Protein backbone atom coordinates (compact mmCIF):
# COMPACT_ATOMS: atom_id res chain seq x y z
CA UNK A 1 0.00 0.00 0.00
CA UNK A 2 1.54 3.31 -1.04
CA UNK A 3 -0.21 6.14 0.71
CA UNK A 4 2.50 8.81 0.46
CA UNK A 5 3.58 11.59 2.75
CA UNK A 6 4.49 15.23 2.58
CA UNK A 7 8.08 16.53 2.58
CA UNK A 8 8.06 17.02 6.35
CA UNK A 9 7.63 13.29 6.83
CA UNK A 10 4.01 13.59 8.00
CA UNK A 11 0.77 12.81 6.24
CA UNK A 12 -0.60 15.81 4.41
CA UNK A 13 -3.53 17.52 6.03
CA UNK A 14 -5.63 20.04 4.17
CA UNK A 15 -6.20 23.46 5.71
CA UNK A 16 -8.19 26.51 4.72
CA UNK A 17 -5.69 29.01 6.10
CA UNK A 18 -4.95 31.84 3.67
CA UNK A 19 -1.32 32.96 3.16
CA UNK A 20 -0.23 35.61 5.59
CA UNK A 21 0.46 39.18 4.60
CA UNK A 22 -2.17 39.73 1.88
CA UNK A 23 -5.05 42.13 2.45
CA UNK A 24 -4.77 42.00 6.22
CA UNK A 25 -4.97 45.01 8.54
CA UNK A 26 -1.53 45.99 9.90
CA UNK A 27 -2.59 45.41 13.52
CA UNK A 28 -3.27 41.73 12.73
CA UNK A 29 0.25 40.99 11.55
CA UNK A 30 1.79 40.57 14.99
CA UNK A 31 -0.91 38.07 15.95
CA UNK A 32 -0.53 36.09 12.75
CA UNK A 33 3.25 36.09 13.11
CA UNK A 34 3.01 34.74 16.64
CA UNK A 35 0.75 31.92 15.42
CA UNK A 36 3.06 31.12 12.49
CA UNK A 37 6.15 31.16 14.71
CA UNK A 38 4.53 28.81 17.21
CA UNK A 39 3.64 26.31 14.49
CA UNK A 40 7.09 26.60 12.94
CA UNK A 41 8.67 25.79 16.31
CA UNK A 42 6.62 22.62 16.68
CA UNK A 43 7.50 21.53 13.14
CA UNK A 44 11.23 22.26 13.59
CA UNK A 45 11.30 20.08 16.72
CA UNK A 46 9.78 17.17 14.82
CA UNK A 47 6.68 17.00 16.98
CA UNK A 48 4.01 18.47 14.73
CA UNK A 49 1.01 16.18 15.04
CA UNK A 50 -1.01 14.87 12.12
CA UNK A 51 -4.35 13.16 12.69
CA UNK A 52 -5.04 9.93 10.85
CA UNK A 53 -8.48 10.01 9.22
CA UNK A 54 -9.95 6.57 9.95
CA UNK A 55 -13.16 4.61 10.38
CA UNK A 56 -13.19 1.52 12.56
CA UNK A 57 -14.94 -1.54 11.14
CA UNK A 58 -17.81 -2.56 13.41
CA UNK A 59 -17.41 -6.17 14.48
CA UNK A 60 -13.99 -6.44 12.83
CA UNK A 61 -11.71 -4.33 15.02
CA UNK A 62 -8.67 -3.84 15.02
CA UNK A 63 -9.26 -3.61 11.27
CA UNK A 64 -10.16 -0.13 10.06
CA UNK A 65 -10.26 2.12 6.97
CA UNK A 66 -7.81 4.95 6.42
CA UNK A 67 -8.82 7.93 4.25
CA UNK A 68 -6.05 9.70 2.38
CA UNK A 69 -6.10 11.91 -0.74
CA UNK A 70 -9.52 10.67 -1.81
CA UNK A 71 -8.57 7.00 -1.45
CA UNK A 72 -9.44 4.41 1.20
CA UNK A 73 -6.93 1.90 2.55
CA UNK A 74 -7.37 -1.07 4.87
CA UNK A 75 -5.26 -0.81 8.00
CA UNK A 76 -4.72 -2.48 11.38
CA UNK A 77 -4.92 -0.23 14.45
CA UNK A 78 -2.28 -0.83 17.13
CA UNK A 79 -2.70 2.31 19.25
CA UNK A 80 -6.35 2.40 20.34
CA UNK A 81 -7.21 3.03 23.99
CA UNK A 82 -10.42 1.03 23.50
CA UNK A 83 -8.39 -1.71 25.13
CA UNK A 84 -11.07 -4.39 25.21
CA UNK A 85 -12.94 -3.37 22.03
CA UNK A 86 -16.02 -2.70 24.16
CA UNK A 87 -16.87 0.20 21.84
CA UNK A 88 -17.77 -2.51 19.32
CA UNK A 89 -19.36 -5.01 21.70
CA UNK A 90 -22.88 -6.12 20.83
CA UNK A 91 -24.30 -5.38 24.30
CA UNK A 92 -22.98 -1.80 24.14
CA UNK A 93 -24.15 -1.10 20.60
CA UNK A 94 -27.59 -2.59 21.32
CA UNK A 95 -28.00 -0.51 24.48
CA UNK A 96 -27.19 2.66 22.55
CA UNK A 97 -29.66 1.81 19.80
CA UNK A 98 -32.39 1.24 22.40
CA UNK A 99 -31.59 4.51 24.17
CA UNK A 100 -31.74 6.65 21.04
CA UNK A 101 -35.09 5.08 20.16
CA UNK A 102 -36.30 5.77 23.69
CA UNK A 103 -35.07 9.30 24.45
CA UNK A 104 -33.40 10.73 21.33
CA UNK A 105 -29.88 12.07 20.94
CA UNK A 106 -28.94 14.75 23.50
CA UNK A 107 -29.38 15.24 27.23
CA UNK A 108 -30.97 18.67 26.86
CA UNK A 109 -28.84 20.61 29.30
CA UNK A 110 -26.45 20.69 32.22
CA UNK A 111 -26.96 18.23 35.05
CA UNK A 112 -28.70 20.97 37.02
CA UNK A 113 -30.97 22.03 34.14
CA UNK A 114 -32.78 18.99 32.72
CA UNK A 115 -29.58 17.06 31.89
CA UNK A 116 -29.82 14.44 34.63
CA UNK A 117 -31.52 11.48 32.99
CA UNK A 118 -32.29 8.16 34.63
CA UNK A 119 -29.34 6.71 32.69
CA UNK A 120 -26.98 9.11 34.49
CA UNK A 121 -28.42 8.19 37.89
CA UNK A 122 -28.10 4.46 37.20
CA UNK A 123 -24.53 4.75 35.93
CA UNK A 124 -23.35 6.74 38.94
CA UNK A 125 -24.79 4.07 41.24
CA UNK A 126 -23.09 1.35 39.19
CA UNK A 127 -19.71 3.11 39.32
CA UNK A 128 -19.96 3.69 43.06
CA UNK A 129 -20.66 -0.01 43.50
CA UNK A 130 -17.75 -0.93 41.19
CA UNK A 131 -15.32 0.86 43.51
CA UNK A 132 -17.21 0.09 46.73
CA UNK A 133 -17.73 3.78 47.46
CA UNK A 134 -20.78 5.64 48.71
CA UNK A 135 -21.28 7.71 45.56
CA UNK A 136 -19.90 8.64 42.14
CA UNK A 137 -20.10 11.64 39.85
CA UNK A 138 -20.02 11.69 36.03
CA UNK A 139 -18.04 14.17 33.93
CA UNK A 140 -17.79 14.64 30.19
CA UNK A 141 -14.20 13.31 30.10
CA UNK A 142 -11.46 11.90 32.26
CA UNK A 143 -9.49 15.10 31.74
CA UNK A 144 -12.34 17.21 33.10
CA UNK A 145 -12.91 14.90 36.06
CA UNK A 146 -9.27 15.27 37.16
CA UNK A 147 -9.06 18.99 36.44
CA UNK A 148 -12.36 19.88 38.06
CA UNK A 149 -11.99 17.69 41.14
CA UNK A 150 -8.42 18.56 42.06
CA UNK A 151 -8.88 22.29 41.49
CA UNK A 152 -12.06 22.26 43.57
CA UNK A 153 -10.51 20.35 46.48
CA UNK A 154 -7.55 22.73 46.52
CA UNK A 155 -9.92 25.66 46.88
CA UNK A 156 -12.27 24.28 49.53
CA UNK A 157 -9.44 22.96 51.75
CA UNK A 158 -7.64 26.11 52.94
CA UNK A 159 -3.87 25.79 52.60
CA UNK A 160 -4.14 22.27 51.20
CA UNK A 161 -0.77 21.01 49.93
CA UNK A 162 -1.07 19.00 46.71
CA UNK A 163 1.63 16.31 46.55
CA UNK A 164 1.93 14.98 43.02
CA UNK A 165 3.90 12.19 41.34
CA UNK A 166 6.16 13.73 38.68
CA UNK A 167 4.71 11.44 36.00
CA UNK A 168 1.08 12.39 36.58
CA UNK A 169 -1.12 13.13 33.60
CA UNK A 170 -1.51 16.68 32.26
CA UNK A 171 -5.11 16.79 33.50
CA UNK A 172 -3.97 16.28 37.08
CA UNK A 173 -1.19 18.83 36.69
CA UNK A 174 -3.65 21.38 35.28
CA UNK A 175 -6.16 20.74 38.04
CA UNK A 176 -3.55 21.19 40.75
CA UNK A 177 -2.26 24.36 39.08
CA UNK A 178 -5.77 25.81 38.74
CA UNK A 179 -6.40 25.15 42.41
CA UNK A 180 -3.83 27.84 43.12
CA UNK A 181 -2.56 26.34 46.36
CA UNK A 182 0.86 25.06 47.43
CA UNK A 183 2.13 21.97 45.64
CA UNK A 184 5.04 19.58 45.94
CA UNK A 185 6.26 17.06 43.37
CA UNK A 186 7.96 13.78 44.23
CA UNK A 187 10.10 11.56 42.02
CA UNK A 188 8.10 8.90 40.24
CA UNK A 189 7.05 6.14 42.67
CA UNK A 190 9.77 7.23 45.13
CA UNK A 191 8.30 6.46 48.54
CA UNK A 192 11.29 7.84 50.45
CA UNK A 193 10.96 11.24 48.84
CA UNK A 194 7.18 11.17 49.28
CA UNK A 195 7.59 10.48 52.99
CA UNK A 196 10.13 13.26 53.27
CA UNK A 197 7.68 15.74 51.77
CA UNK A 198 4.84 14.53 53.99
CA UNK A 199 7.01 14.78 57.09
CA UNK A 200 7.92 18.37 56.22
CA UNK A 201 4.27 19.48 56.22
CA UNK A 202 2.57 20.03 59.60
CA UNK A 203 0.30 17.14 60.51
CA UNK A 204 -2.74 19.42 60.83
CA UNK A 205 -2.23 20.95 57.35
CA UNK A 206 -4.59 19.49 54.71
CA UNK A 207 -2.74 17.50 52.08
CA UNK A 208 -3.65 15.30 49.13
CA UNK A 209 -1.38 12.73 47.48
CA UNK A 210 -2.25 12.53 43.77
CA UNK A 211 -1.02 9.59 41.72
CA UNK A 212 -1.99 7.11 39.00
CA UNK A 213 -2.52 3.36 39.34
CA UNK A 214 -1.06 2.62 35.88
CA UNK A 215 1.17 5.14 34.14
CA UNK A 216 0.10 5.15 30.52
CA UNK A 217 3.39 5.82 28.75
CA UNK A 218 5.74 3.50 30.70
CA UNK A 219 3.07 1.00 31.74
CA UNK A 220 4.28 0.69 35.34
CA UNK A 221 2.16 0.47 38.49
CA UNK A 222 2.04 2.68 41.58
CA UNK A 223 2.80 1.10 44.99
CA UNK A 224 -0.74 1.89 46.15
CA UNK A 225 -0.58 0.16 49.53
CA UNK A 226 2.65 1.97 50.48
CA UNK A 227 1.16 5.32 49.43
CA UNK A 228 -1.90 4.62 51.59
CA UNK A 229 0.35 3.67 54.52
CA UNK A 230 2.09 7.04 54.27
CA UNK A 231 -1.19 8.90 53.84
CA UNK A 232 -2.56 7.37 57.01
CA UNK A 233 0.68 8.07 58.91
CA UNK A 234 0.80 11.74 57.90
CA UNK A 235 -2.92 12.58 57.81
CA UNK A 236 -3.29 12.96 54.02
CA UNK A 237 -6.06 12.15 51.56
CA UNK A 238 -5.30 9.90 48.59
CA UNK A 239 -6.44 10.67 45.04
CA UNK A 240 -5.86 7.86 42.54
CA UNK A 241 -6.29 8.08 38.77
CA UNK A 242 -7.42 4.60 37.59
CA UNK A 243 -7.89 5.70 33.96
CA UNK A 244 -5.64 2.97 32.54
CA UNK A 245 -6.61 0.39 35.16
CA UNK A 246 -10.37 0.42 35.54
CA UNK A 247 -12.09 -2.38 33.63
CA UNK A 248 -8.73 -4.07 33.00
CA UNK A 249 -7.70 -5.30 36.45
CA UNK A 250 -9.45 -6.90 39.40
CA UNK A 251 -12.08 -9.65 39.43
CA UNK A 252 -14.87 -7.17 38.70
CA UNK A 253 -12.87 -4.67 36.65
CA UNK A 254 -12.52 -2.25 39.56
CA UNK A 255 -8.92 -1.57 38.56
CA UNK A 256 -5.49 -2.02 40.10
CA UNK A 257 -6.88 -0.95 43.47
CA UNK A 258 -9.30 -3.88 43.39
CA UNK A 259 -6.59 -6.27 42.15
CA UNK A 260 -4.30 -5.22 45.02
CA UNK A 261 -7.15 -5.29 47.55
CA UNK A 262 -6.59 -1.67 48.59
CA UNK A 263 -9.59 0.01 46.96
CA UNK A 264 -11.18 0.73 50.34
CA UNK A 265 -8.04 2.58 51.50
CA UNK A 266 -8.03 5.09 48.63
CA UNK A 267 -10.16 8.14 49.40
CA UNK A 268 -10.96 9.32 45.87
CA UNK A 269 -10.84 7.14 42.76
CA UNK A 270 -11.01 8.77 39.34
CA UNK A 271 -11.61 6.85 36.13
CA UNK A 272 -12.54 7.09 32.50
CA UNK A 273 -15.35 5.60 30.47
CA UNK A 274 -13.53 5.97 27.15
CA UNK A 275 -10.84 3.31 27.45
CA UNK A 276 -11.65 -0.14 28.86
CA UNK A 277 -15.38 0.70 28.77
CA UNK A 278 -15.08 1.86 25.17
CA UNK A 279 -17.37 4.92 25.05
CA UNK A 280 -16.75 8.41 26.52
CA UNK A 281 -16.65 10.31 29.79
CA UNK A 282 -14.99 10.36 33.20
CA UNK A 283 -15.99 10.06 36.85
CA UNK A 284 -14.92 10.13 40.47
CA UNK A 285 -16.02 7.82 43.28
CA UNK A 286 -15.74 8.69 46.99
CA UNK A 287 -17.86 9.43 50.06
CA UNK A 288 -21.30 10.92 49.46
CA UNK A 289 -20.30 14.20 51.10
CA UNK A 290 -17.12 14.62 49.06
CA UNK A 291 -19.03 13.87 45.84
CA UNK A 292 -21.63 16.42 46.89
CA UNK A 293 -19.07 19.17 47.46
CA UNK A 294 -17.46 18.61 44.04
CA UNK A 295 -20.92 18.54 42.47
CA UNK A 296 -21.74 21.83 44.18
CA UNK A 297 -18.48 23.74 43.53
CA UNK A 298 -16.74 22.39 40.41
CA UNK A 299 -17.36 24.75 37.50
CA UNK A 300 -16.18 22.07 35.06
CA UNK A 301 -19.14 19.99 36.18
CA UNK A 302 -21.76 22.67 36.81
CA UNK A 303 -21.49 24.66 33.59
CA UNK A 304 -21.26 21.98 30.91
CA UNK A 305 -23.93 20.00 29.10
CA UNK A 306 -24.15 16.47 30.47
CA UNK A 307 -23.17 13.39 28.51
CA UNK A 308 -25.71 12.25 25.93
CA UNK A 309 -28.00 9.59 27.43
CA UNK A 310 -27.19 7.46 24.37
CA UNK A 311 -23.54 7.39 25.42
CA UNK A 312 -24.44 6.80 29.07
CA UNK A 313 -26.65 3.85 28.13
CA UNK A 314 -23.74 2.28 26.25
CA UNK A 315 -21.37 2.89 29.17
CA UNK A 316 -23.85 1.40 31.61
CA UNK A 317 -24.08 -1.78 29.53
CA UNK A 318 -20.28 -1.94 29.26
CA UNK A 319 -19.67 -1.51 33.00
CA UNK A 320 -22.26 -4.14 33.88
CA UNK A 321 -20.84 -6.58 31.34
CA UNK A 322 -17.22 -6.20 32.51
CA UNK A 323 -18.26 -6.58 36.14
CA UNK A 324 -19.40 -10.11 35.39
CA UNK A 325 -17.07 -11.10 32.54
CA UNK A 326 -13.31 -11.55 32.81
CA UNK A 327 -13.00 -13.05 29.34
CA UNK A 328 -12.10 -9.76 27.65
CA UNK A 329 -9.44 -8.66 30.15
CA UNK A 330 -7.92 -12.15 30.32
CA UNK A 331 -7.58 -12.12 26.53
CA UNK A 332 -6.02 -8.64 26.61
CA UNK A 333 -3.30 -9.64 29.06
CA UNK A 334 -2.54 -12.83 27.13
CA UNK A 335 -2.18 -10.84 23.90
CA UNK A 336 0.06 -8.26 25.61
CA UNK A 337 2.34 -11.02 26.88
CA UNK A 338 2.46 -12.60 23.42
CA UNK A 339 3.37 -9.28 21.79
CA UNK A 340 6.13 -8.52 24.33
CA UNK A 341 7.60 -11.99 23.78
CA UNK A 342 7.59 -11.60 20.00
CA UNK A 343 9.20 -8.15 20.12
CA UNK A 344 11.84 -9.31 22.58
CA UNK A 345 12.66 -12.33 20.42
CA UNK A 346 13.15 -9.97 17.46
CA UNK A 347 15.59 -7.89 19.53
CA UNK A 348 13.45 -4.78 19.29
CA UNK A 349 13.85 -2.21 22.11
CA UNK A 350 10.80 -3.01 24.23
CA UNK A 351 10.72 -0.88 27.36
CA UNK A 352 10.05 -2.84 30.58
CA UNK A 353 6.31 -2.79 31.36
CA UNK A 354 4.44 -5.07 33.78
CA UNK A 355 1.07 -3.92 32.43
CA UNK A 356 -0.91 -4.24 29.19
CA UNK A 357 0.90 -1.23 27.66
CA UNK A 358 3.82 -2.07 25.35
CA UNK A 359 6.24 0.84 24.68
CA UNK A 360 9.10 0.63 22.16
CA UNK A 361 11.89 3.16 22.57
CA UNK A 362 12.99 5.26 19.58
CA UNK A 363 14.55 8.23 21.39
CA UNK A 364 14.20 10.85 18.65
CA UNK A 365 11.06 12.73 17.55
CA UNK A 366 11.88 12.87 13.84
CA UNK A 367 12.81 9.20 13.68
CA UNK A 368 9.75 8.28 15.72
CA UNK A 369 7.52 10.02 13.16
CA UNK A 370 9.39 8.36 10.30
CA UNK A 371 8.79 4.94 11.84
CA UNK A 372 5.06 5.50 12.20
CA UNK A 373 4.77 7.00 8.70
CA UNK A 374 6.48 3.95 7.24
CA UNK A 375 4.26 1.60 9.22
CA UNK A 376 1.14 3.30 7.89
CA UNK A 377 2.27 4.08 4.34
CA UNK A 378 4.10 0.85 3.54
CA UNK A 379 2.55 -1.78 5.80
CA UNK A 380 -0.99 -0.58 6.60
CA UNK A 381 -0.24 -0.53 10.34
CA UNK A 382 -1.41 2.47 12.37
CA UNK A 383 0.67 3.46 15.41
CA UNK A 384 0.77 7.03 16.65
CA UNK A 385 4.21 8.48 17.57
CA UNK A 386 4.55 9.53 21.20
CA UNK A 387 6.74 12.63 21.45
CA UNK A 388 7.39 15.51 23.87
CA UNK A 389 5.53 16.89 25.84
CA UNK A 390 3.65 13.61 26.33
CA UNK A 391 6.97 11.97 27.25
CA UNK A 392 10.33 13.55 28.17
CA UNK A 393 12.65 14.53 25.33
CA UNK A 394 14.97 11.68 24.40
CA UNK A 395 12.38 9.02 25.32
CA UNK A 396 10.18 9.32 22.21
CA UNK A 397 8.51 6.01 21.54
CA UNK A 398 5.88 3.87 19.92
CA UNK A 399 3.11 2.96 22.34
CA UNK A 400 1.47 -0.30 21.32
CA UNK A 401 -1.87 -1.30 22.81
CA UNK A 402 -2.69 -4.89 21.94
CA UNK A 403 -6.29 -5.99 22.33
CA UNK A 404 -8.21 -9.25 22.55
CA UNK A 405 -8.49 -9.47 18.75
CA UNK A 406 -4.89 -8.87 17.72
CA UNK A 407 -4.21 -12.37 16.41
CA UNK A 408 -0.88 -14.20 16.25
CA UNK A 409 -0.86 -13.38 12.53
CA UNK A 410 -1.26 -9.66 13.19
CA UNK A 411 1.48 -9.74 15.83
CA UNK A 412 3.81 -11.45 13.33
CA UNK A 413 2.97 -8.83 10.66
CA UNK A 414 3.72 -5.99 13.07
CA UNK A 415 7.01 -7.45 14.28
CA UNK A 416 8.15 -8.16 10.71
CA UNK A 417 7.34 -4.58 9.66
CA UNK A 418 9.21 -3.15 12.64
CA UNK A 419 12.26 -5.32 11.93
CA UNK A 420 12.35 -4.04 8.34
CA UNK A 421 12.01 -0.40 9.40
CA UNK A 422 14.62 -0.74 12.17
CA UNK A 423 17.10 -2.00 9.59
CA UNK A 424 16.16 0.64 6.99
CA UNK A 425 16.51 3.54 9.44
CA UNK A 426 19.48 2.00 11.29
CA UNK A 427 17.76 2.40 14.66
CA UNK A 428 19.28 1.26 17.92
CA UNK A 429 18.12 -2.05 19.35
CA UNK A 430 18.78 -1.64 23.07
CA UNK A 431 15.91 -0.15 25.11
Amino acid sequence: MAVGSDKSGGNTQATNVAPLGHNEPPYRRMYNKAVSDALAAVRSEGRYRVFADIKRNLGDFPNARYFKDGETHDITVWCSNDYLSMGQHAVVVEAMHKAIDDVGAGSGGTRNISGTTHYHVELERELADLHQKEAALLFTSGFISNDATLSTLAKILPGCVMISDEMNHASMIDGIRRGGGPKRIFRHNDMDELEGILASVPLETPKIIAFESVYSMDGDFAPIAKICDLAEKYNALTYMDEVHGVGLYGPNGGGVGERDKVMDRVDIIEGTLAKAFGVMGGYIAATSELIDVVRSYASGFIFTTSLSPVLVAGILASVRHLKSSSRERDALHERADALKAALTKADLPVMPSPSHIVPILVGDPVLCKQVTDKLLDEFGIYVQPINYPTVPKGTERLRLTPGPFHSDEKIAELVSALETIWIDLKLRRAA
Side-chain angles (χ1 to χ4, degrees):
M1 178 181 75
V3 177
S5 62
D6 64 16
K7 294 180 181 178
S8 66
N11 297 326
T12 54
Q13 185 162 296
T15 64
N16 295 316
V17 179
L20 296 180
H22 295 286
N23 301 319
E24 63 175 343
Y27 75 90
R28 292 290 300 274
R29 290 173 188 165
M30 66 175 179
Y31 300 110
N32 290 336
K33 185 178 185 304
V35 170
S36 296
D37 288 349
L39 287 172
V42 173
R43 290 182 185 276
S44 68
E45 294 169 13
R47 59 186 183 92
Y48 180 76
R49 298 180 180 186
V50 178
F51 300 151
D53 182 359
I54 70 171
K55 281 185 178 180
R56 304 200 299 171
N57 298 339
L58 179 61
D60 194 30
F61 195 71
N63 295 320
R65 289 153 286 166
Y66 172 50
F67 295 83
K68 167 79 178 191
D69 296 335
E71 296 182 357
T72 306
H73 307 271
D74 294 330
I75 62 170
T76 302
V77 178
W78 274 99
C79 57
S80 174
N81 281 338
D82 185 1
Y83 293 126
L84 302 178
S85 297
M86 289 304 296
Q88 307 247 316
H89 199 288
V91 299
V92 175
V93 174
E94 182 182 3
M96 295 178 75
H97 277 299
K98 286 183 177 179
I100 200 166
D101 288 339
D102 185 25
V103 300
S107 68
T110 65
R111 288 292 298 275
N112 188 49
I113 305 175
S114 83
T116 297
T117 72
H118 190 57
Y119 294 105
H120 293 77
V121 174
E122 282 191 293
L123 179 56
E124 287 174 338
R125 288 173 181 163
E126 202 73 43
L127 291 168
D129 177 74
L130 176 66
H131 294 292
Q132 295 300 291
K133 300 296 184 187
E134 292 177 356
L137 189 67
L138 281 174
F139 294 84
T140 51
S141 73
F143 191 106
I144 297 298
S145 55
N146 272 333
D147 180 77
T149 303
L150 287 168
S151 61
T152 298
L153 292 176
K155 291 173 182 175
I156 66 164
L157 294 168
C160 179
V161 179
M162 290 289 185
I163 306 172
S164 175
D165 188 291
E166 67 177 344
M167 297 299 288
N168 278 344
H169 190 264
S171 57
M172 301 172 78
I173 295 168
D174 282 2
I176 291 169
R177 184 183 294 123
R178 283 207 314 115
K183 61 180 182 292
R184 301 286 297 275
I185 298 170
F186 63 96
R187 284 186 299 272
H188 179 51
N189 280 348
D190 188 328
M191 296 299 96
D192 290 336
E193 183 169 42
L194 174 58
E195 181 163 20
I197 292 171
L198 287 164
S200 71
V201 180
L203 202 62
E204 65 276 10
T205 298
K207 54 193 82 71
I208 296 175
I209 307 169
F211 62 99
E212 301 183 36
S213 65
V214 186
Y215 288 86
S216 62
M217 292 300 128
D218 289 342
D220 58 334
F221 296 110
I224 304 171
K226 292 179 180 178
I227 292 173
C228 291
D229 289 343
L230 292 175
E232 291 163 9
K233 180 178 179 180
Y234 292 99
N235 196 26
L237 290 179
T238 46
Y239 182 99
M240 180 170 71
D241 178 313
E242 274 272 29
V243 161
H244 293 274
V246 68
L248 304 174
Y249 297 90
N252 300 300
V256 182
E258 184 188 28
R259 183 199 69 178
D260 294 353
K261 297 181 173 59
V262 292
M263 211 163 45
D264 60 315
R265 300 182 65 193
V266 179
D267 296 296
I268 307 155
I269 296 175
E270 183 270 345
T272 185
L273 304 163
K275 293 181 171 61
F277 296 123
V279 190
M280 180 183 177
Y283 66 92
I284 57 169
T287 63
S288 296
E289 196 162 42
L290 191 142
I291 293 297
D292 203 16
V293 80
V294 174
R295 181 187 72 87
S296 300
Y297 280 86
S299 58
F301 172 83
I302 296 169
F303 298 107
T304 190
T305 300
S306 67
L307 284 169
S308 162
V310 179
L311 297 175
V312 179
I315 300 161
L316 186 59
S318 185
V319 172
R320 285 173 172 168
H321 177 83
L322 289 176
K323 272 185 174 181
S324 61
S325 173
S326 294
R327 185 176 67 248
E328 292 82 6
R329 49 183 163 265
D330 289 345
L332 165 74
H333 295 302
E334 187 277 328
R335 291 288 80 195
D337 289 343
L339 176 60
K340 290 174 187 176
L343 292 166
T344 301
K345 185 178 180 181
D347 195 27
L348 289 161
V350 186
M351 300 170 71
S353 164
S355 71
H356 59 284
I357 294 162
V358 185
I360 301 178
L361 183 67
V362 177
D364 179 272
V366 175
L367 288 174
C368 197
K369 186 67 170 67
Q370 287 179 8
V371 171
T372 57
D373 283 348
K374 279 180 169 288
L375 282 171
L376 186 58
D377 298 345
E378 299 174 19
F379 298 95
I381 293 172
Y382 175 39
V383 180
Q384 195 68 16
I386 305 297
N387 292 331
Y388 177 83
T390 307
V391 294
K393 291 180 179 179
T395 70
E396 292 83 3
R397 68 198 66 178
L398 311 183
R399 177 181 176 273
L400 304 175
T401 54
F405 304 109
H406 283 100
S407 64
D408 287 341
E409 180 183 8
K410 289 193 179 295
I411 289 176
E413 290 172 354
L414 171 64
V415 172
S416 176
L418 288 171
E419 285 185 293
T420 299
I421 293 170
W422 244 251
I423 292 170
D424 287 349
L425 297 179
K426 298 180 175 60
L427 299 175
R428 63 186 180 187
R429 294 279 181 166

